[in-house]
Amino acid sequence: MKTAKIAALSAILLATSAPTWADEDAPKFGLAGLLSSKNKHDLPEVILSAGMPLSDAPWRLKSGAYYEVEITSDGSQELALKGADFFRAIWIDEIVIEGLEIRPLGLDSVEFDEAGTMEIGFIALKPGSYNLHVPGTTGETQRLEITIE
């Protein structure tokens, strides 16, 4: 008798605790979750060139969204982008350089010794204000302001 009551109670609990969503409440991502193409956004290319601004406008990112950005150096000078705080506020999915995919655990900066392009795919995580900047420079045009909301 006791076993039958426990079985009946368990069946009721299982039936009522399973998530049920109306169509409008269903998760908006595909099976890939945050990495789903529905969650992917392309950012404007960042161009590293001696004396040229990094970006036309600051970035406003949404926490939980997936972003891809191409960073290109024209080879006019050995240049780097530094931004440890920003890189710690995101999860890097991959860095692609000439078809080679790198999946790092973390990043402090990237540097170009010659002309080339890298693509970084990442998920913005930690809300706050950050920047990427060319080390050793103080000009505002050598800084890309980033806000994660």
Side-chain angles (χ1 to χ4, degrees):
M1 182 79 156
K2 199 176 199 182
T3 306
K5 286 182 182 179
I6 291 174
L9 183 58
S10 295
I12 291 170
L13 287 173
L14 285 173
T16 59
S17 65
T20 56
W21 291 295
D23 286 339
E24 65 273 1
D25 296 331
K28 305 294 185 232
F29 305 122
L31 295 176
L34 291 177
L35 298 177
S36 171
S37 62
K38 292 180 180 181
N39 192 38
K40 182 181 158 287
H41 308 280
D42 290 323
L43 293 169
E45 182 178 24
V46 174
I47 299 177
L48 294 173
S49 181
M52 298 300 293
L54 289 179
S55 177
D56 293 334
W59 290 352
R60 295 190 79 71
L61 310 179
K62 186 174 181 178
S63 181
Y66 186 91
Y67 295 93
E68 285 185 352
V69 61
E70 284 190 355
I71 303 172
T72 300
S73 173
D74 67 0
S76 60
Q77 186 175 330
E78 185 175 317
L79 291 168
L81 274 180
K82 191 169 187 166
D85 289 344
F86 171 68
F87 288 124
R88 284 167 182 71
I90 64 174
W91 174 77
I92 300 172
D93 176 36
E94 67 182 4
I95 299 172
V96 181
I97 304 168
E98 294 184 15
L100 301 172
E101 296 178 3
I102 303 162
R103 302 189 190 280
L105 290 176
L107 201 58
D108 180 77
S109 63
V110 295
E111 184 173 332
F112 289 82
D113 292 340
E114 55 190 48
T117 299
M118 73 173 57
E119 182 179 286
I120 301 177
F122 65 92
I123 294 175
L125 295 175
K126 186 177 173 187
S129 296
Y130 307 97
N131 70 67
L132 291 174
H133 63 277
V134 176
T137 61
T138 57
E140 288 183 28
T141 62
Q142 301 301 297
R143 176 180 304 277
L144 172 57
E145 298 295 331
I146 304 165
T147 301
I148 299 176
E149 300 172 331

